[in-house]
Amino acid sequence: MTLPKLQIACDHSDLPSALADIKAVGDIVDILEVGTVLLLQVGDEAIKCFRALYPDKLIVADPKCADAGGTVAANIRKAGADYMTCICSATVATMKAAAKEIDQVQVELYGDWTYEHAQAWLDAGIDQAIYHQSRDALLAGETWGDKDLNKVKKLIDMGFKVSVTGGLDVDTLDLFKGVNVYTFITGRGITQAENPAKAAQDFQDKIKELWG
């Protein structure tokens, strides 16, 4: 079983704070994410800065693209990102257009998506999905559990590389032991820690303990 990757999600509202956190953990995590909030605030300048700081790191941009997939993907790729996200409600045509312009498209799973939708994405050559507990759902009191685990397993069995995100802490990873998760994505679980570098290393150590 492949060792899951660790991705830092930067949903900061300003670029200096994002860069400070990236510099603190960039050598520890596997993937750097320019989050939706940061993209909305400062645009592709964030991607360019991440790439300048870490020329060899995998960088994901998270626009949750719903339309104009080819144009958005081309602009994001030119700025320096390797992957980008499309929201699951986007048309397959939008996802395919994006996939022509960038290395990988990841489908963000929100709301009332179905496995029939998922099969259509696979049929179109889109084989990465991000399973969420959204920030709003977590604030409303939802927690990770078997319902989430079963959906993640089903998507993996279908052929997806599944990333998992939403209020993750180190202990949450125990739920996924033995499951071939592609990436664990966390933002505040690292950036809001007293020592972000230690928090990132704790995640990596736990991943190695459970999947190594």
Side-chain angles (χ1 to χ4, degrees):
M1 185 175 295
T2 305
L3 200 69
K5 297 176 175 62
L6 178 64
Q7 179 172 320
I8 175 71
C10 288
D11 269 316
H12 300 64
S13 293
D14 67 280
L15 186 55
S17 297
L19 294 178
D21 280 334
I22 284 295
K23 288 178 70 176
V25 304
D27 290 327
I28 302 170
V29 302
D30 304 300
I31 304 173
L32 310 177
E33 176 193 327
V34 181
T36 310
V37 173
L38 188 58
L39 281 172
L40 288 170
Q41 290 298 107
V42 302
D44 68 3
E45 190 68 18
I47 303 172
K48 293 173 182 176
C49 289
F50 281 28
R51 179 55 71 203
L53 282 172
Y54 292 97
D56 299 321
K57 283 282 182 179
L58 192 63
I59 294 177
V60 175
D62 185 20
K64 297 180 174 65
C65 182
D67 198 8
T71 301
V72 173
N75 291 338
I76 282 173
R77 174 181 51 78
K78 289 173 185 175
D82 302 290
Y83 297 178
M84 67 168 272
T85 62
C86 283
I87 194 71
C88 60
S89 56
T91 65
V92 171
T94 292
M95 296 179 189
K96 289 175 71 173
K100 290 180 180 178
E101 298 291 341
I102 200 163
D103 288 347
Q104 291 287 335
V105 170
Q106 300 174 310
V107 183
E108 293 258 7
L109 302 179
Y110 283 100
D112 297 325
W113 60 275
T114 68
Y115 294 112
E116 287 75 17
H117 293 137
Q119 188 59 55
W121 306 328
L122 280 175
D123 292 343
I126 310 296
D127 68 350
Q128 288 203 36
I130 301 174
Y131 184 86
H132 274 268
Q133 283 277 19
S134 76
R135 180 181 299 189
D136 292 334
L138 290 164
L139 290 173
E142 292 191 24
T143 58
W144 287 95
D146 286 341
K147 62 180 177 58
D148 306 297
L149 188 62
N150 291 336
K151 290 178 181 178
V152 169
K153 287 179 177 178
K154 170 75 170 178
L155 289 164
I156 292 170
D157 288 344
M158 290 178 70
F160 282 98
K161 297 175 183 176
V162 180
S163 299
V164 172
T165 188
L168 296 177
D169 58 32
V170 171
D171 292 336
T172 314
L173 271 56
D174 288 314
L175 177 67
F176 296 93
K177 182 178 181 180
V179 179
N180 195 21
V181 172
Y182 182 63
T183 305
F184 287 105
I185 306 171
T186 184
R188 290 164 293 159
I190 290 175
T191 61
Q192 292 188 5
E194 183 176 346
N195 184 334
K198 182 181 183 303
Q201 190 60 57
D202 287 345
F203 270 98
Q204 289 286 38
D205 291 345
K206 187 70 169 183
I207 288 170
K208 290 173 183 174
E209 174 190 330
L210 295 176
W211 284 271

